[in-house]
Amino acid sequence: MILMMEETKLSEMTDEQLIKAFQNGEMKAYRLLVGRYKDPLMNYIFNFVNDVQVSEDILQETFLRLYKNKHYYKEVAKFSTWIYTIAGNLARTELRKKKRHRLFSIHNYMNEDKDFEIVDDGLNPEQQTSSDMIQAEVKDAIQKLPDSFKEAVLLRDVQGLDYEEISEILKTPLGTVKSRINRGRARLAKMLKHLME
């Protein structure tokens, strides 16, 4: 009965109270934080790197860093700002690694007279609803945004964070954050104009 009451009290705590409890050795507080942030962070990371396996790895690393570096959190910022900063930094590092890999030309492999079948991984209109197709187009358009715009738009429009928190996460002035979000939205509107017609 006492254990159940204790669990209820923990689940009613704010994120900042939970990290404080975790810093004081309360493992249940860590599990509750992971439970609260697992899905939103996975969504954020996936929309940023567009790869499920890589996203899962980054999510695991984010929670591992939370576990190992719990004492680095100071209550000068919201806990969500701190955890999104960790995840964002890991995602940006992964994107930099991907960009370093050299691209190869398909022409190097065209010496033989062969027909190559290119599989279309796109959505099949007969299998997907119109809503799913629109969602896929929006995701694809987001992936085409420059990284600085993409991250700001994802944090604001997908994760629902406020401008000040995004400014802290990105370590970017508030005006720049607003500008990136507006410019990112404008580019998205241009790319998705055909959906409005």
Side-chain angles (χ1 to χ4, degrees):
M1 186 69 158
I2 293 171
L3 183 64
M4 189 68 130
M5 193 172 80
E6 204 175 286
E7 186 75 34
T8 303
K9 284 182 183 177
L10 277 175
S11 65
E12 293 170 359
M13 288 182 166
T14 66
D15 297 340
E16 290 73 23
Q17 291 168 326
L18 282 175
I19 185 65
K20 186 98 169 138
F22 177 47
Q23 288 171 334
N24 291 325
E26 181 58 64
M27 286 306 296
K28 288 177 189 160
Y30 172 74
R31 286 193 291 275
L32 282 169
L33 285 169
V34 169
R36 284 181 187 179
Y37 282 90
K38 180 179 59 158
D39 292 340
L41 281 175
M42 181 63 178
N43 186 29
Y44 167 61
I45 295 165
F46 176 76
N47 279 308
F48 203 75
V49 300
N50 203 28
D51 182 310
V52 174
Q53 184 61 49
V54 171
S55 299
E56 288 172 351
D57 292 345
I58 291 172
L59 184 67
Q60 289 283 343
E61 182 64 23
T62 300
F63 288 129
L64 180 62
R65 290 191 183 192
L66 164 61
Y67 186 85
K68 287 167 48 176
N69 301 321
K70 64 185 176 229
H71 292 293
Y72 286 116
Y73 172 77
K74 305 290 182 226
E75 208 173 327
V76 293
K78 290 170 66 175
F79 174 78
S80 58
T81 302
W82 190 66
I83 196 80
Y84 271 97
T85 300
I86 293 170
N89 287 341
L90 291 169
R92 278 190 295 281
T93 299
E94 183 59 35
L95 285 175
R96 279 193 297 274
K97 281 185 206 171
K98 277 185 179 182
K99 286 179 181 174
R100 275 190 228 130
H101 290 134
R102 304 196 104 203
L103 297 175
F104 62 90
S105 170
I106 195 164
H107 298 292
N108 296 339
Y109 299 95
M110 297 293 243
N111 296 338
E112 301 172 24
D113 289 332
K114 284 187 178 178
D115 290 331
F116 291 94
E117 185 176 327
I118 298 173
V119 179
D120 180 11
D121 290 333
L123 294 171
N124 181 343
E126 290 134 22
Q127 296 173 342
Q128 301 291 326
T129 65
S130 176
S131 175
D132 289 341
M133 290 190 307
I134 290 170
Q135 218 173 24
E137 283 194 55
V138 170
K139 274 188 170 184
D140 186 50
I142 289 172
Q143 290 306 312
K144 292 176 182 172
L145 289 174
D147 290 344
S148 60
F149 293 174
K150 179 177 17 174
E151 189 168 21
V153 167
L154 286 172
L155 287 168
R156 178 68 184 154
D157 295 335
V158 177
Q159 299 302 318
L161 301 180
D162 62 44
Y163 292 107
E164 291 78 14
E165 193 168 2
I166 296 168
S167 174
E168 288 179 46
I169 290 168
L170 299 179
K171 295 177 179 33
T172 305
L174 187 60
T176 304
V177 166
K178 289 180 179 180
S179 171
R180 287 178 183 176
I181 291 169
N182 289 334
R183 291 171 67 192
R185 285 174 178 165
R187 286 192 186 194
L188 284 173
K190 200 174 204 179
M191 285 188 270
L192 299 169
K193 184 180 177 184
H194 65 283
L195 294 176
M196 310 296 187
E197 296 170 345

